[in-house]
Amino acid sequence: MNIVDVRDALHDLAGPAQMPTEAQRAAVDRRVRCSRLMQLTGAVALVLVAVVGVVFVARPWSDDHEPTQVVTSAGTTIHDEQLGYTVTIPPGWVREPVHVKPGYELPVILRLRYGYKQGALGEDCAASGTQVGVSIGVQEDNLIRPPQPEFAAQFRRSPVFGPDSDGGLTVNTYPPVCGRLEQSLMFEEAGRRFFIGLTMAANTSPALQAEAYEILNSLRFDRGTFVDKVRSDTSTTTSVSSPP
Amino acid sequence: VTDGFEAFFEDHYGEVERAVALAIGDRGRAEELTQEAFARAYRRWRRVSEMQRPVAWLYVVALNAERKRWRHEQIATAPIVVAADGEDHAGGVVTSIVLQTAIAELPPRQRAAITLRYLADLSNAEVADAMGCAEGTVKATIHQALKSLRVDIGGEA
């Protein structure tokens, strides 16, 4: 036997090559159409996934969650599990939306106000004098982590916040915020470091000032579920020098 | 964009389908695989038509799913097929029938290799592409198949 015999046997085994039937032609057409449909569906799905991905990445991380709230006669206690704080705010105070994303080095995680309008300063002292109310901004410092033990004393939280805490409540005499009362508080809690800016209009009543400090004293922090995500990007770009 | 596809389909559908059927030993599945291969060729016709041997590409596509199976088939377990030898007093009919039986009983990998090589007329390199293995492996597989069939190999494989 030789190769020719093998060829012949293979041809006999396989049978004659038939011309394609209409059914086979239709089957190929169907597969082409089906494949195009699948490609189209796949492309649409890909676009949808991309859009959802972009929306997910670009969305303000803390805007779509609703912290738990407990309302009592003393006010509303809010626990934000993601940003990791609990605070009680008296009636009339407003908690403004904040935008926290991964990589923010100094994100404002909480902003409260009573009548005060951010950025509503006038061009001069007279115009700024129309500002009323109080504003509290809580900013987290993600620049240095973890909190350095040698600075622990410097960032120890005051047992009670009041007009004398840290640098104290001072009057800003510079235009255009003439007469505005300001106080900065810095401390560490739950392995996180915070700056709190307290701003009051010049004519703020003692009762409203007291409410502001009540709020600050009710403020407690925990790890929160966003902390590590927010820090994730900055952790690779921030370096901390150790003292010799 | 699909100029020439119709003629290509007419000319090659039948031969590809029967070779794939013999290579994998399943005519129904061969029909599906062949149709899918032609559907893919249609979608990529501009590129496929520019190939030196578009029909060889069809075999590669059609046999895509079979490659894994062939790759894992143990050559060592291939049974030795005893084919007809010596004189054939019936004008080649006996030889052909016995040879067909012997080919049908070859291990799938060997049967596929000689089918693609001698029925589909693919080169060793094209068979290697279609079966997903090295050209040397194709040569060895075909050699083993022909030896099992007691074919005078001469300069083949």
Side-chain angles (χ1 to χ4, degrees):
Chain A
M1 273 184 291
N2 54 34
I3 295 299
V4 175
D5 294 327
V6 173
R7 285 185 195 276
D8 289 344
L10 285 167
H11 277 278
D12 290 342
L13 258 180
Q18 306 282 352
M19 290 292 283
T21 63
E22 281 308 309
Q24 288 166 333
R25 194 184 305 275
V28 173
D29 283 347
R30 205 163 43 244
R31 284 174 186 274
V32 170
R33 282 199 305 275
C34 181
S35 144
R36 282 179 177 157
L37 185 66
M38 294 284 281
Q39 275 182 328
L40 186 66
T41 309
V44 170
L46 201 64
V47 168
L48 281 176
V49 167
V51 167
V52 169
V54 167
V55 168
F56 179 78
V57 169
R59 77 192 169 113
W61 280 54
S62 54
D63 270 6
D64 66 341
H65 71 287
E66 195 54 45
T68 57
Q69 298 192 11
V70 179
V71 181
T72 65
S73 57
T76 303
T77 298
I78 298 166
H79 173 60
D80 191 317
E81 189 181 348
Q82 292 180 334
L83 293 178
Y85 66 78
T86 303
V87 67
T88 300
I89 57 173
W93 285 75
V94 174
R95 185 171 61 94
E96 293 187 328
V98 294
H99 305 275
V100 182
K101 293 179 183 176
Y104 273 25
E105 293 179 333
L106 292 165
V108 175
I109 61 169
L110 174 63
R111 191 184 298 282
L112 301 169
R113 64 180 175 85
Y114 186 100
Y116 196 93
K117 291 180 182 174
Q118 288 291 335
L121 296 173
E123 292 180 356
D124 52 32
C125 292
S128 298
T130 59
Q131 180 71 279
V132 295
V134 179
S135 168
I136 297 173
V138 178
Q139 199 169 14
E140 180 162 11
D141 176 7
N142 283 325
L143 289 171
I144 301 173
R145 313 171 290 287
Q148 304 298 293
E150 56 268 38
F151 299 124
Q154 186 182 336
F155 288 96
R156 189 169 293 129
R157 176 174 174 154
S158 297
V160 179
F161 290 123
D164 298 326
S165 301
D166 291 4
L169 186 64
T170 58
V171 179
N172 187 333
T173 57
Y174 295 99
V177 293
C178 325
R180 189 169 78 177
L181 300 170
E182 296 174 352
Q183 186 172 9
S184 295
L185 307 166
M186 288 184 292
F187 60 92
E188 291 174 353
E189 193 169 310
R192 305 165 67 186
R193 178 175 296 173
F194 303 98
F195 294 134
I196 295 182
L198 175 62
T199 308
M200 302 181 183
N203 57 355
T204 303
S205 68
L208 190 55
Q209 289 189 26
E211 278 190 357
Y213 289 113
E214 280 174 25
I215 290 171
L216 292 178
N217 284 313
S218 76
L219 194 54
R220 288 289 178 273
F221 296 94
D222 54 57
R223 281 301 289 178
T225 56
F226 270 3
V227 175
D228 291 330
K229 291 175 185 171
V230 171
R231 288 177 175 179
S232 59
D233 285 356
T234 54
S235 63
T236 58
T237 57
T238 306
S239 60
V240 179
S241 300
S242 300
Chain B
V1 177
T2 55
D3 285 350
F5 178 80
E6 185 64 31
F8 176 75
F9 180 73
E10 293 277 341
D11 291 347
H12 296 289
Y13 182 88
E15 68 179 65
V16 172
E17 190 199 14
R18 69 171 186 158
V20 170
L22 191 56
I24 68 173
D26 183 338
R27 187 163 290 279
R29 182 160 165 71
E31 191 170 9
E32 284 183 13
L33 296 175
T34 306
Q35 288 169 3
E36 181 59 30
F38 273 96
R40 290 190 184 191
Y42 180 82
R43 291 198 304 269
R44 300 167 174 79
W45 184 240
R46 191 164 53 184
R47 197 151 50 94
V48 173
S49 62
E50 289 171 356
M51 292 175 178
Q52 200 171 358
R53 290 250 295 156
V55 72
W57 180 87
L58 278 177
Y59 284 105
V60 173
V61 173
L63 298 172
N64 185 40
E66 302 300 314
R67 279 198 281 277
K68 192 174 177 184
R69 186 161 65 87
W70 285 328
R71 210 171 293 140
H72 290 94
E73 188 184 310
Q74 296 296 314
I75 298 173
T77 60
I80 299 299
V81 178
V82 180
D85 200 6
E87 276 188 81
D88 179 0
H89 298 288
V93 174
V94 173
T95 298
S96 181
I97 291 172
V98 172
L99 196 51
Q100 285 177 45
T101 307
I103 289 170
E105 289 176 355
L106 281 175
R109 181 193 179 104
Q110 292 183 16
R111 190 179 62 236
I114 64 164
T115 299
L116 294 174
R117 182 73 181 88
Y118 299 119
L119 179 65
D121 279 326
L122 301 186
S123 66
N124 283 333
E126 288 168 341
V127 175
D129 283 344
M131 295 187 68
C133 59
E135 194 175 336
T137 307
V138 169
K139 286 181 181 174
T141 305
I142 290 175
H143 182 88
Q144 196 169 15
L146 296 179
K147 193 176 166 189
S148 297
L149 297 170
R150 297 194 179 177
V151 170
D152 177 16
I153 297 169
E156 289 287 339

